[in-house]
Amino acid sequence: MAKEIFMPKLSSTMEVGTLLQWLKEEGEPVDIGEPLFEIMTDKINIEVEAYDRGILLKKYFQADDQVPVNQVIGYIGERGETVPEEPPTLSGGATAEPSAISEDAVEGKSNENGKVRATPAARRLAKEAGVDLPTISGSGPKGRIHLKDVQQYLETEKEQPKASPLARKMAERENIDWKTLQGSGAGGKVMSRDVIHAVPAQTSGQKQEQHEVRKKLSGLRKVVADRMVQSAFTAPHVTLTSDVDMTKASEMRTALLPTVETQTGFRLTYTDILIKAVGTALSRFPEVNVHLEHDEIIYKKNVNVGVAVAVKDGLIVPVIKQVEQKGLAAICAEAKDLSKRAREQKLRPDELKGSTFTISNLGMYPIDAFTPIINQPEIAILGVGRIQEKPVVVNGNIAIRPIMTVSLSFDHRVIDGAPAAEFLAEVKRILENPYEMIL
């Protein structure tokens, strides 16, 4: 009997997974434990292994489709077994709708969310053929587009001039008949560049119009965007800033560099020192080391510091756990390993969970200060700017010191200004007297 392949639920907050790629094709054998497909969650990209042995009989969704958790996305079974042509409905009667090339609302064939109604097979063929789904008439209930509709459309259009969807839209906007253009694409297909070249030259003295290129907000970028909007409009953010004299921290780093590099193979950085300083301060201010979930404040026993890492199309936050129990050498080695694997998209799901506080460091750029957005369900985040030599007054005299500006954004629902200021002052005091945190 054929076995279902489900979109897994990899975290308590995961509701939808983006299918990045199948690692097997229909008709290929699959063994237990063999990587079957790759997905992107709200936290990580991960390969999902097969739980059954057999032949991959059916794939309902393709690359870039967004699929609800627990939705059947395919079947594994014996060769020749019969499986449904369309994915089974989810409990409650909802049917998963994969993302399409175009989700423009079209009267008579769009669902209540404005998405074009089409079967996965129809979407797949339309995507491969470069056809906009709204241009196809559906023969199914409420105008739903089936595979045969796409096939019929392609057959009808076979002898007609061809143009990419973007070229068609640009030609319509510029009031150009694209069928009169000579296409530079494969088989004479009219591309967007052909339309651009056909735009009549404007009179001298007028600025040439800049044609826009649109890219759908999707994947990790969309996940980051959704989380930032949720945090910004849910938690009342207040941001405090303070200047930190990094003279002693710089001296300590220079003194420890050879020892840490000998032990770990990595160079000690200011980020490593920041992680330890923040961890020390959090252990002294348990009211900051908390989560807010619904109407409950959850005090965390361990100090787990997340460090924001920029990756392609977004950022992720790997977590260094139990910082209060680790020395600088251990933090340095772990931070470098996590950052490297984050950029390579090789982190495990558990390495992105459980942070109780986050550091966002832009000190490698010419940025003095910024207002970071809280990584919920945490209630505070520290933004770090560059270290810059500035004139300061020391014991009544002007001196040049390395100064770093730090910004603490906190959730005013959970903590008030005075305790937040005390916490930031403690971080500043530790960084200006750093040897105490390694004793």
Side-chain angles (χ1 to χ4, degrees):
M1 182 177 177
K3 302 291 186 181
E4 299 98 336
I5 306 168
F6 295 97
M7 172 60 70
K9 185 178 178 68
L10 299 176
S11 72
S12 60
T13 59
M14 180 179 171
E15 296 180 355
V16 175
T18 300
L19 181 62
L20 295 180
Q21 63 173 329
W22 284 94
L23 303 176
K24 292 284 186 178
E25 297 297 330
E26 288 184 3
E28 290 187 348
V30 179
D31 203 355
I32 295 174
E34 194 173 8
L36 184 57
F37 57 95
E38 184 181 8
I39 63 172
M40 178 171 65
T41 73
D42 59 347
K43 295 180 180 293
I44 191 174
N45 294 5
I46 189 170
E47 291 182 354
V48 179
E49 299 177 350
Y51 288 92
D52 298 288
R53 181 182 290 109
I55 302 298
L56 180 56
L57 300 175
K58 191 70 175 177
K59 300 187 300 184
Y60 293 118
F61 301 93
Q62 300 300 315
D64 296 329
D65 288 347
Q66 294 185 337
V67 186
V69 296
N70 301 323
Q71 168 67 51
V72 175
I73 64 173
Y75 278 95
I76 292 176
E78 298 296 327
R79 194 177 298 278
E81 278 191 272
T82 301
V83 296
E85 279 299 315
E86 296 192 20
T89 57
L90 290 167
S91 59
T95 303
E97 283 283 353
S99 59
I101 300 170
S102 171
E103 295 182 344
D104 299 327
V106 179
E107 184 177 359
K109 58 180 179 181
S110 300
N111 63 17
E112 61 276 11
N113 296 319
K115 293 184 177 180
V116 177
R117 299 180 185 273
T119 65
R123 294 179 185 276
R124 186 183 315 131
L125 180 58
K127 185 174 182 179
E128 292 172 352
V131 176
D132 254 342
L133 280 173
T135 64
I136 302 174
S137 298
S139 61
K142 296 184 179 180
R144 187 178 180 88
I145 300 170
H146 289 270
L147 178 62
K148 64 180 181 181
D149 300 322
V150 182
Q151 292 171 333
Q152 183 178 352
Y153 177 87
L154 293 175
E155 188 65 28
T156 303
E157 293 290 307
K158 188 178 294 182
E159 303 301 325
Q160 300 297 323
K162 299 177 181 178
S164 70
L166 179 58
R168 292 172 187 252
K169 291 179 180 179
M170 291 177 60
E172 181 180 357
R173 185 175 66 238
E174 298 294 343
N175 197 26
I176 294 174
D177 184 1
W178 62 265
K179 295 180 181 179
T180 64
L181 303 180
Q182 183 174 355
S184 61
K189 189 173 186 177
V190 176
M191 310 301 289
S192 59
R193 57 180 175 268
D194 302 317
V195 180
I196 293 174
H197 293 156
V199 176
Q202 296 181 331
T203 58
S204 59
Q206 289 183 320
K207 185 178 180 181
Q208 181 67 29
E209 179 184 357
Q210 295 294 319
H211 292 276
E212 62 188 15
V213 176
R214 299 192 179 194
K215 180 181 178 182
K216 184 179 178 182
L217 194 64
S218 62
L220 180 59
R221 185 69 266 159
K222 187 175 188 306
V223 171
V224 172
D226 290 343
R227 289 175 65 88
M228 293 300 101
V229 169
Q230 179 187 12
S231 179
F233 286 92
T234 301
H237 284 57
V238 177
T239 303
L240 309 176
T241 61
S242 182
D243 287 340
V244 180
D245 186 340
M246 294 293 286
T247 300
K248 292 183 179 179
S250 178
E251 293 171 352
M252 184 185 74
R253 175 178 176 270
T254 300
L256 293 178
L257 268 174
T259 302
V260 173
E261 191 164 6
T262 299
Q263 290 183 14
T264 68
F266 298 107
R267 289 177 62 82
L268 182 67
T269 66
Y270 287 108
T271 299
D272 304 325
I273 295 172
L274 279 163
I275 293 169
K276 182 61 180 175
V278 165
T280 303
L282 286 169
S283 65
R284 298 170 182 173
F285 284 78
E287 64 270 29
V288 183
N289 195 54
V290 302
H291 281 182
L292 177 63
E293 296 182 9
H294 305 295
D295 293 328
E296 290 186 320
I297 300 174
I298 303 173
Y299 291 82
K300 297 295 183 175
K301 180 179 180 181
N302 295 122
V303 175
N304 303 331
V305 178
V307 181
V309 175
V311 296
K312 183 180 179 182
D313 293 330
L315 59 85
I316 57 178
V317 184
V319 183
I320 300 173
K321 297 180 179 178
Q322 299 181 347
V323 170
E324 76 280 9
Q325 301 177 20
K326 296 176 179 177
L328 281 171
I331 290 172
C332 174
E334 190 172 347
K336 303 301 183 298
D337 174 61
L338 289 172
S339 295
K340 179 177 182 292
R341 289 191 290 114
R343 295 186 178 95
E344 296 172 350
Q345 298 186 347
K346 293 181 178 179
L347 290 175
R348 301 187 305 273
D350 62 288
E351 293 172 325
L352 291 162
K353 297 178 182 178
S355 60
T356 58
F357 188 94
T358 295
I359 295 174
S360 180
N361 187 359
L362 295 179
M364 64 290 296
Y365 302 104
I367 301 299
D368 294 324
F370 61 102
T371 55
I373 296 178
I374 298 166
N375 182 25
Q376 293 182 319
E378 300 164 22
I379 61 103
I381 182 173
L382 188 72
V384 181
R386 62 179 171 175
I387 298 175
Q388 190 177 23
E389 289 192 343
K390 295 181 179 180
V392 296
V393 177
V394 180
N395 297 324
N397 299 312
I398 296 178
I400 303 298
R401 293 291 180 89
I403 302 298
M404 178 179 73
T405 301
V406 291
S407 306
L408 179 74
S409 291
F410 63 93
D411 187 339
H412 213 327
R413 296 175 299 175
V414 182
I415 187 171
D416 294 323
E422 291 172 3
F423 170 76
L424 185 59
E426 181 69 3
V427 173
K428 171 183 169 70
R429 192 188 67 78
I430 293 170
L431 287 171
E432 292 182 342
N433 301 275
Y435 284 101
E436 75 166 62
M437 68 183 177
I438 64 175
L439 295 178

